[in-house]
Amino acid sequence: ANRGHWGQDLSSILDDRHVLVFRTLRENSSRNYHLRDDILSYMTNTLDRLDRGDVDASFYVGTPQKAFSQYIHSYHHARWLEKKYRKKTKETGDDRIHFFFDHASEYFFSVIPKEELHRVFYQYNNQIRGEERIQFSDTTRALIEANSNLTEAAKLLYVHKNTMLYRYNKLKNMLDIDPLRNSSDRTFLILLYQ
């Protein structure tokens, strides 16, 4: 048993690949309470035992909920994370614990109906064709994954930083946006990419 597991916590083995834990949030009068720290502390024993047993596992933390009737939302958010990041985690060896709020904007973008995005960005999508569309898509994906860091985006695409800068400037001029300097333009680019 996990030393940090309280009587109010719920744990259940769902199947041979999933264990579901609903963690009770500490009642704390301090405004400095941090959910992430509590979860990481809670998971320390589990991670240590898994490492000793050479078990490959990832963890997906949904949204905090105080009402039992709302746990289903936290579960759905954790499942969304798993679907989105399970393959990527195995390929890249990224963090084993994924928190929903680290990916909340991606989640909200993902629930916007594709038809609505198509209507809004129709003109831009028609403006970019063929090979240019592939390069635009690759460049945009890399910028999003690298949190708008050109050097990191270049590494993701296995291109020189100057090549990435050239592609970025081309994208910037074509769409008349500057997502590195303007958060609204960054949101626009992410939505266009969807």
Side-chain angles (χ1 to χ4, degrees):
N2 190 325
R3 283 181 276 169
H5 197 80
W6 301 348
Q8 302 95 326
D9 295 340
L10 300 173
S11 298
S12 178
I13 297 174
L14 300 180
D15 57 38
D16 64 340
R17 296 187 54 213
H18 295 92
V19 175
L20 178 67
V21 177
F22 286 112
R23 174 82 173 132
T24 304
L25 299 177
R26 286 190 312 224
E27 288 297 328
N28 190 337
S29 58
S30 167
R31 298 188 73 171
N32 295 327
Y33 172 74
H34 296 284
L35 174 69
R36 181 183 308 271
D37 293 340
D38 184 53
I39 296 294
L40 291 173
S41 173
Y42 175 77
M43 294 299 300
T44 299
N45 285 342
T46 303
L47 290 170
D48 288 345
R49 285 195 311 232
L50 291 172
D51 287 343
R52 282 194 304 269
D54 198 29
V55 176
D56 183 31
S58 297
F59 302 89
Y60 305 92
V61 180
T63 51
Q65 305 292 337
K66 287 201 172 199
F68 184 74
S69 63
Q70 300 300 304
Y71 281 13
I72 189 70
H73 302 298
S74 183
Y75 173 74
H76 285 298
H77 296 145
R79 289 297 302 225
W80 176 85
L81 272 174
E82 179 190 21
K83 288 176 188 166
K84 181 93 173 144
Y85 291 98
R86 177 181 49 216
K87 183 178 178 188
K88 184 177 178 184
T89 300
K90 285 185 178 190
E91 289 173 356
T92 63
D94 282 349
D95 295 337
R96 293 170 66 186
I97 302 177
H98 300 271
F99 291 86
F100 178 80
F101 285 116
D102 291 342
H103 307 280
S105 60
E106 292 172 68
Y107 171 78
F108 290 116
F109 290 140
S110 77
V111 296
I112 298 171
K114 294 287 184 198
E115 303 81 39
E116 185 62 23
L117 289 171
H118 180 72
R119 287 190 290 268
V120 170
F121 296 106
Y122 178 78
Q123 181 57 39
Y124 295 100
N125 284 324
N126 282 339
Q127 183 178 341
I128 307 165
R129 299 193 175 276
E131 241 352 90
E132 196 171 59
R133 183 190 274 300
I134 294 167
Q135 189 177 83
F136 168 82
S137 181
D138 290 345
T139 302
T140 302
R141 178 189 46 78
L143 283 169
I144 292 168
E145 288 180 13
N147 200 23
S148 298
N149 180 312
L150 288 175
T151 303
E152 292 302 313
K155 288 178 185 176
L156 288 171
L157 293 175
Y158 303 103
V159 298
H160 191 274
K161 182 182 175 185
N162 289 341
T163 302
M164 186 66 198
L165 183 60
Y166 170 79
R167 290 180 182 182
Y168 172 76
N169 284 327
K170 186 175 174 182
L171 178 147
K172 181 175 130 180
N173 293 331
M174 182 188 324
L175 300 174
D176 194 27
I177 61 172
D178 191 356
L180 295 185
R181 292 192 176 82
N182 185 305
S183 63
S184 295
D185 288 350
R186 192 166 27 260
T187 301
F188 173 89
L189 186 62
I190 292 168
L191 287 168
L192 178 60
Y193 178 72
Q194 300 295 318

